[in-house]
């Protein structure tokens, strides 16, 4: 009876037999062609071994090649519907942000541990504030050295996909200019411009260079440029980013990769609409920054089922969940990083976990009706709802 009362309560953490007990729920993702899943069997086992209960929606892992039986063997319980998972769990572990059809399923004081990208989605921000959830955003968990351990694995995958997607849509049947990025004897390879030299940009550069393309990678940090010049192959040219080098790069580019990141904040609009007139007809923009609003003025989120559109002759690929296409790789890579922080949230409770781990404190974006991550409040003029987490954590 005590156990039943504990797991059905709306309070996010409990003392039970000397430890914290949570019911952790993992629903099936509902975003267009999103095949990743928030938990793998090894993560389920880790939570169960720590004394927690885990429930998953039936078929949640199928898109990543994980059968329900594997979860059951790891100690999870399978529920028939998403509604049952959301209603019974104190902590939800997902991959992508809640979509409108999930807003009414969120519950007050419920911990939701996922990618949110609030600064690019005002409707989601308002819905989560209204529901008074506790939002821990993968993308803003930041260690003392500035690294983003829960964003990095998906940035690696999206970066490595970027030039592949750009190459595909350069094909004439898809509206591209018909240029093979690898080149052939007697015909030059493609020019690829990468805006941003971080995790996405450096991975895009490696794959593009491997294809044989000529790569220009722009960044504003001399230290980043120096590092790239030391580790990249000869067909990658790191260049300091300013208005002149950006425009020159856009004129020459057959593929442009947007890889700009300001953690948790809207991406700056570096590629303006007038820049498209400088670009080659049939060239491709792959805006990996679209999760945070995109770094081109003409970027808008697209889906795997309808991935591209054309503005002024330039193809835009702006899929907001790129790694979902390679779901099994992405799911396992993500869980390798999320489980250690998730266990801290579950074992200690949200309040103690963020007090004891500064990286998790950075990841806390909302707490019971308040915004606790300043760039989100600034994105929508909600400074009156911003509170530093330390001011309001109970």
């Amino acid at each position: 009876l005590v156990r039943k009362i504990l797991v059905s309560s709306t309070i996010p953490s409990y003392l039970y037999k000397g430890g914290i007990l949570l019911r952790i729920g993992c629903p099936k993702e509902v975003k267009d062609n999103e095949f990743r899943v928030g938990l793998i069997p090894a993560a389920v086992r880790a939570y169960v071994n720590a004394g927690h209960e885990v429930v998953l929606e039936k078929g949640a892992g199928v898109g990543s090649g994980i059968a329900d039986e594997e979860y059951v063997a790891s100690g999870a319980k399978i529920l028939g519907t998403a509604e049952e998972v959301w209603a019974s769990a104190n902590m939800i572990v997902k991959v992508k942000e809640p979509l409108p059809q999930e807003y009414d399923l969120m519950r007050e004081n419920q911990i939701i541990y996922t990618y949110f990208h609030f600064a690019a989605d005002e409707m989601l921000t308002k819905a989560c504030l209204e529901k008074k959830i506790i939002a821990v955003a993968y993308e803003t968990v930041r260690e003392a050295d500035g690294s983003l351990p829960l964003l990095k694995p998906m940035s690696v995958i999206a970066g490595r996909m970027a030039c592949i997607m750009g190459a595909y849509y350069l094909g004439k049947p898809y509206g591209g200019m018909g240029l093979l990025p690898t080149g052939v004897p007697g015909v030059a390879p493609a020019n690829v411009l990468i805006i941003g030299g971080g995790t996405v940009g450096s991975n895009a550069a490696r794959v593009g260079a491997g294809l044989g393309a000529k790569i220009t990678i722009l960044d504003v940090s001399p230290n980043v440029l120096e590092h790239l010049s030391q580790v990249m192959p000869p067909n990658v040219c790191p260049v300091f980013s300013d208005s002149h080098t950006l425009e020159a790069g856009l004129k020459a580019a057959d593929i442009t990769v947007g890889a700009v990141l300001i953690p948790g904040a809207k991406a700056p609009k570096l590629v303006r609409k007038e820049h498209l007139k400088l670009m080659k007809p049939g060239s491709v923009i792959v805006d990996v920054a679209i999760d945070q609003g995109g770094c081109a003025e003409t970027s808008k989120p697209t889906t795997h089922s309808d991935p591209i559109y054309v503005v002024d002759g330039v193809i835009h690929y702006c899929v907001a969940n790129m790694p979902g296409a390679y779901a099994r790789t992405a799911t396992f890579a993500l869980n390798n990083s999320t489980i250690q922080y998730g266990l801290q949230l579950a074992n200690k409770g949200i309040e103690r976990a963020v007090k004891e781990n500064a990286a998790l404190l950075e990841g806390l974006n909302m707490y019971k009706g308040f915004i606790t991550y300043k760039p989100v409040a600034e994105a929508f003029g909600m400074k009156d709802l911003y509170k530093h987490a330390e001011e309001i954590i109970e």
Side-chain angles (χ1 to χ4, degrees), residues 183-208:
V184 295
V187 181
N191 292 306
V192 177
L193 174 68
I194 300 172
I195 306 171
T199 301
V200 170
S202 59
N203 278 276
R206 287 187 181 279
V207 171

Side-chain angles (χ1 to χ4, degrees), residues 77-363:
K77 180 179 179 181
I78 303 299
L79 301 180
T81 66
E83 288 77 8
E84 291 176 88
V85 173
W86 282 91
S88 64
N90 312 108
M91 175 172 162
I92 294 289
V93 180
K94 291 181 87 274
V95 178
K96 293 303 292 179
E97 72 283 351
L99 294 186
Q101 60 265 43
E102 297 174 299
Y103 291 171
D104 286 340
L105 302 180
M106 298 187 292
R107 296 187 294 116
E108 185 173 341
N109 295 351
Q110 194 171 44
I111 301 169
I112 303 181
Y113 181 47
T114 189
Y115 289 114
F116 279 101
H117 301 290
F118 280 121
D121 193 335
E122 186 173 3
M123 185 169 70
L124 172 67
T125 301
K126 289 180 176 178
C128 291
L129 284 169
E130 182 181 341
K131 288 293 184 177
K132 297 185 178 180
I133 66 160
I134 298 168
V136 181
Y138 292 163
E139 70 272 11
T140 65
V141 172
R142 186 184 339 214
E143 291 289 353
D145 61 0
S147 63
L148 301 165
L150 306 189
L151 186 62
K152 184 175 181 178
M154 297 304 96
S155 295
V156 169
I157 292 172
R160 294 184 181 189
M161 288 177 64
C163 285
I164 296 172
M165 296 297 103
Y168 184 81
Y169 287 106
L170 273 182
K172 199 66 179 176
Y174 315 108
M177 63 176 66
L179 179 69
L180 182 65
T182 62
V184 295
V187 181
N191 292 306
V192 177
L193 174 68
I194 300 172
I195 306 171
T199 301
V200 170
S202 59
N203 278 276
R206 287 187 181 279
V207 171
L211 291 173
K214 295 184 288 186
I215 311 294
T216 300
I217 184 166
L218 301 180
D219 202 277
V220 294
S221 168
N223 290 335
V224 169
L225 295 171
E226 181 180 1
H227 173 71
L228 291 171
S229 68
Q230 293 170 349
V231 301
M232 287 292 166
N235 54 332
V236 176
C237 182
V239 175
F240 187 82
S241 182
D242 57 31
S243 59
H244 175 76
T245 56
L246 176 62
E247 290 185 3
L250 290 171
K251 287 179 182 178
D254 303 302
I255 299 171
T256 298
V257 177
V260 181
L261 174 69
I262 301 175
K266 278 191 174 180
K269 301 294 186 183
L270 300 180
V271 179
R272 301 190 303 275
K273 190 175 190 303
E274 56 264 33
H275 283 146
L276 300 189
K277 299 188 187 316
L278 304 175
M279 300 176 71
K280 300 175 185 178
S283 63
V284 180
I285 294 175
V286 179
D287 198 343
V288 184
I290 194 63
D291 270 334
Q292 294 295 147
C295 65
E297 280 187 344
T298 47
S299 289
K300 59 184 180 182
T302 62
T303 64
H304 286 295
S305 60
D306 189 15
I308 62 170
Y309 59 93
V310 179
V311 180
D312 292 343
V314 176
I315 297 167
H316 291 57
Y317 176 95
C318 304
V319 174
N321 61 326
M322 289 176 64
Y326 298 95
R328 187 168 176 87
T329 297
T331 287
F332 280 82
L334 181 60
N335 270 258
N336 290 344
S337 297
T338 56
I339 184 58
Q340 61 174 311
Y341 297 96
L343 281 171
Q344 292 178 54
L345 293 170
N347 292 345
K348 298 178 179 180
I350 182 68
E351 293 80 13
R352 180 181 162 200
V354 300
K355 286 177 181 177
E356 294 184 1
N357 188 330
L360 277 173
L361 183 63
E362 287 286 321

